[in-house]
Amino acid sequence: MQAFIADWFARFDRLDPVDAFLPDLHPDVIWDMPDIDSSLHGHDRFRAWYATVLSTFTPPITHRLSDIHITENEVRFTVEMHANLLNGAPVQITAKEHWRYSLTAAGTPQITHYTVEI
């Protein structure tokens, strides 16, 4: 699970295309993020959130994780993000994340519930 989390955030740090994330999200993922259109669900809600990310930040972004707690089907941790806005202004955000996941038939994690508290 730790390798999965590291790879997930490496893709965010590079601002990879949205399709790089979708296989790791259940189609009906509960994407619980602040300021996202609550009428959207699953992959559509993630796409809307990520479109905002792409129109706000410039790569590279740096995520630092701490206090990682992994239990069966759940992960909790603190993440500190350092980035620059498109206008060049620096931003730092610290958040608490809580993921729930299941394993695919191939045995890889797939996020079913993604919550962020800022």
Side-chain angles (χ1 to χ4, degrees), residues 7-57:
D7 180 60
W8 177 265
F9 282 103
R11 286 180 268 159
F12 275 126
D13 289 347
R14 296 185 303 260
L15 294 180
D16 283 2
V18 69
D19 290 340
F21 297 93
L22 297 180
D24 293 331
L25 296 171
H26 188 277
D28 295 320
V29 63
I30 297 170
W31 192 259
D32 188 9
M33 296 286 263
D35 301 326
I36 298 302
D37 182 350
S38 62
S39 70
L40 297 173
H41 301 282
H43 283 185
D44 290 338
R45 189 170 170 104
F46 174 79
R47 282 187 188 98
W49 174 82
Y50 198 59
T52 301
V53 168
L54 293 174
S55 68
T56 303
F57 300 105

Side-chain angles (χ1 to χ4, degrees), residues 31-34 49 79 95-99 114-118:
W31 192 259
D32 188 9
M33 296 286 263
W49 174 82
V79 61
K96 300 279 187 191
E97 296 207 9
H98 176 206
W99 301 359
Y114 195 110
T115 301
V116 174
E117 295 177 16
I118 297 177

